Amino acid sequence: MLSFVIAFFVYIRKMKGEYSKNEIDIILDRFKDDDTFTCAFITSCFTGMRTGEVCSLTWDDIGFENRVINVRHTVYDKPKDDKGRWYIGTTKTKQGTRQINMSATLYNAILNIFYSIKCQTREM
């Protein structure tokens, strides 16, 4: 799933730098049943984080109490690796490691997805 999310983000970003409200609605409607993609997409839209940064986030990186996202890692590929695997590593630069404040909209969306995933996990 991670490789699909990364590939899709790369494709979308090459198409256009900014999304209109209509484009965002179309994308979110297409993936409305995929909480992972929805969470990644809205995080990217609301923060401007790079695709690799968004895809490397874990719940430990989300500061719910102070409403921040801690950017500490990024996903990268090793094109010379014949296995074609993605790797999580540190950010490219010291400035890449940072905290990003969440808007109320993003905070509520991530919180809802967090609880939705938590409920699904309990049902299994």
Side-chain angles (χ1 to χ4, degrees), residues 1-19 24 27-28 31 34-57 75 86 106:
M1 178 64 182
L2 176 63
S3 61
F4 168 75
V5 171
I6 292 172
F8 186 78
F9 270 99
V10 169
Y11 172 74
I12 292 291
R13 290 224 172 158
K14 283 182 182 176
M15 286 176 31
K16 213 169 197 182
E18 292 182 20
Y19 306 108
I24 291 171
I27 293 168
L28 290 176
F31 294 96
D34 187 336
D35 287 342
T36 301
F37 179 84
T38 300
C39 187
F41 182 74
I42 62 171
T43 299
S44 176
C45 287
F46 276 86
T47 65
M49 289 173 62
R50 295 173 185 88
T51 303
E53 293 170 341
V54 172
C55 292
S56 69
L57 290 174
V75 173
W86 296 93
L106 178 60

Side-chain angles (χ1 to χ4, degrees), residues 2-4 8 17 22 27 37-38 53 61-62 73 75 102-103 109 111 116 118-119:
L2 176 63
S3 61
F4 168 75
F8 186 78
N22 187 47
I27 293 168
F37 179 84
T38 300
E53 293 170 341
D61 296 320
I62 308 298
H73 302 96
V75 173
M102 287 188 273
S103 67
L111 193 62
S116 171
K118 200 171 184 179
C119 288

Side-chain angles (χ1 to χ4, degrees), residues 59-85:
W59 290 118
D60 291 336
D61 296 320
I62 308 298
F64 287 107
E65 61 286 340
N66 52 1
R67 296 182 181 205
V68 297
I69 297 173
N70 296 296
V71 181
R72 298 181 268 222
H73 302 96
T74 190
V75 173
Y76 64 96
D77 66 337
K78 288 191 174 178
K80 294 179 183 176
D81 184 350
D82 60 343
K83 296 179 184 176
R85 296 187 182 189

